[in-house]
Amino acid sequence: MKTPLHPVLQQNIDQLKQMFGNSIDLYAKPVQVLGIDCCLCMFEGLSTIERLWVVLLNMLCDSTFQPKDGQDLFRYIQAQTDLPVENNPVTDFDQLRTQLTAGTTVMLIDGCRKAVVLSTQNMQFRSVQEPSGEGNVRGSHEGFTDLLRINVSLVRRLIRSETLTSEILVCGQRTKTEVALLYDRTLASPQLVQAVRKRLELVPLPVLFDSSYLAPFLQRGSFSFFEEVGYTERPVTACAKICEGKLVILVNGSPYAMVLPYFFSEHFQSLDDYSTKAYFASFIRILKYGAFFMAVLLPGLFVSIAEYTPELFPPQLLYKIAAAETATPLPLFLEMILVIVLLELIREAGLRLPKAIGHSVSLVAAVIVGDAAVKAGILSTPIVIAAALTTISMFVIPSLYEPATVLRILFVFVGGLFGPFGILGLLFIMLASICGMHSFGLPYTTPLVPWGGGAVRDGLLRAPWSTLAQKPFDVSELPGGKIEYD
């Protein structure tokens, strides 16, 4: 139950200090405003004291108003001054906590059960920069920052429509993190918006520091290697998804926006696809699909063919593979697993180390360790080449790096233990799993399965803008687009 503010100022101050445990960064300054006892409350670092005193001193110097009591002073400040006052006053301690941690200043007034909220935010945040994980040649180079209000403003600046809706929710039992739900109310499904809003309100997370924390509570269904949500660091990409009738979730403190629903084909699309020629964009998309299947299947196929059907190799290649394998002590599929694990260790070391030395460590480890292992006869050259090609292919589709890494190890195991039948069986299971998924009531493989005109228009291929502009994409028009999500 919410505790309302007391009419006695000292009781409010005592309970406020008890609430925050006499924190050193809590600024609570008793003052007299036009003869009425008040208390200015803020957190240092979230608000600026200089701005606060400037606006108050201006009011104290220029005003000739003589309030009768605290309520009279509240009405005067709220309605008759030019102070930067929020429209909604604070009436209970839960609202008081929310406003203080949001960076505003709250003025408690003796004899009044309502408090004035002054806009004096001065939060330090990372400036708007280019994202490091979503490179593009053309188009906007702006990326989301860590502050929620800045991220919402970046979206609002690009979509200057009255139908863009932004709702603020609070998640995280301990962190009380602000979450923004953005959508176009004329395009997004009302059932989907209502269901997602309800789930966000009931998320049982103790802490929330990134949008990915919410994914398990928003998705439904059994385990799958692939997620039903996507992420982007670019405001322009988030705006494009909103214009398709999708929902975007922003979390305070996270530069990654969550997009839902999200489809398998969107992992192979990029911002540059729509700023280049249609034939070249289509070629790049097909190349990315090929890179995904190469990243997943190549190591397992290599092991399976070498172990069970070596006659499929050309004679010259077969002789070289056989000669290289006779000099190594490990079975072929264990050797492939060792190389994959080694490459993952090198990648993780380069990722977690400081950037100044991370790339150097990765390069040195890959060249020296790999070359030394081949010369010492621990690893064979064909295995290293196959694993390297696989790793390069995975970098083409970074959003699918996690599932592709695990799947390629599984394909190596089944290829080494069961041969071609194991590869075919696991491939069938993987494709059936992808085709059987639904992203918030919509087929995850849309528009490829079931096959439709959208696959050629803006799926596997991309049609020219003259064709795309005639019928803009809208998720509500997809098969299953009217399914309720609960």
Side-chain angles (χ1 to χ4, degrees), residues 327-328 367-381 384:
T328 57
V367 174
I368 295 180
V369 176
D371 183 65
V374 171
K375 289 183 178 179
I378 301 176
L379 302 175
S380 64
T381 303
V384 174

Side-chain angles (χ1 to χ4, degrees), residues 118-131:
L118 300 170
S119 300
T120 58
Q121 294 94 333
N122 187 36
M123 296 184 182
Q124 301 298 319
F125 61 93
R126 183 170 57 90
S127 61
V128 178
Q129 301 172 348
E130 183 177 1

Side-chain angles (χ1 to χ4, degrees), residues 230-302:
Y231 303 94
T232 180
E233 294 181 80
R234 292 192 174 277
V236 64
T237 303
C239 292
K241 302 303 180 182
I242 292 176
C243 292
E244 294 176 355
K246 299 181 180 181
L247 279 60
V248 170
I249 296 176
L250 295 169
V251 174
N252 190 33
S254 173
Y256 292 90
M258 178 187 292
V259 180
L260 54 95
Y262 203 77
F263 307 123
F264 181 71
S265 61
E266 293 182 87
H267 291 289
F268 306 91
Q269 301 174 3
S270 67
L271 193 63
D272 281 333
D273 289 353
Y274 303 93
S275 58
T276 58
K277 288 288 187 179
Y279 69 86
F280 185 75
S282 301
F283 167 73
I284 294 298
R285 287 189 182 180
I286 295 175
L287 192 65
K288 288 181 179 179
Y289 278 99
F292 170 73
F293 286 102
M294 179 183 292
V296 172
L297 295 174
L298 180 60
L301 279 176
F302 181 86

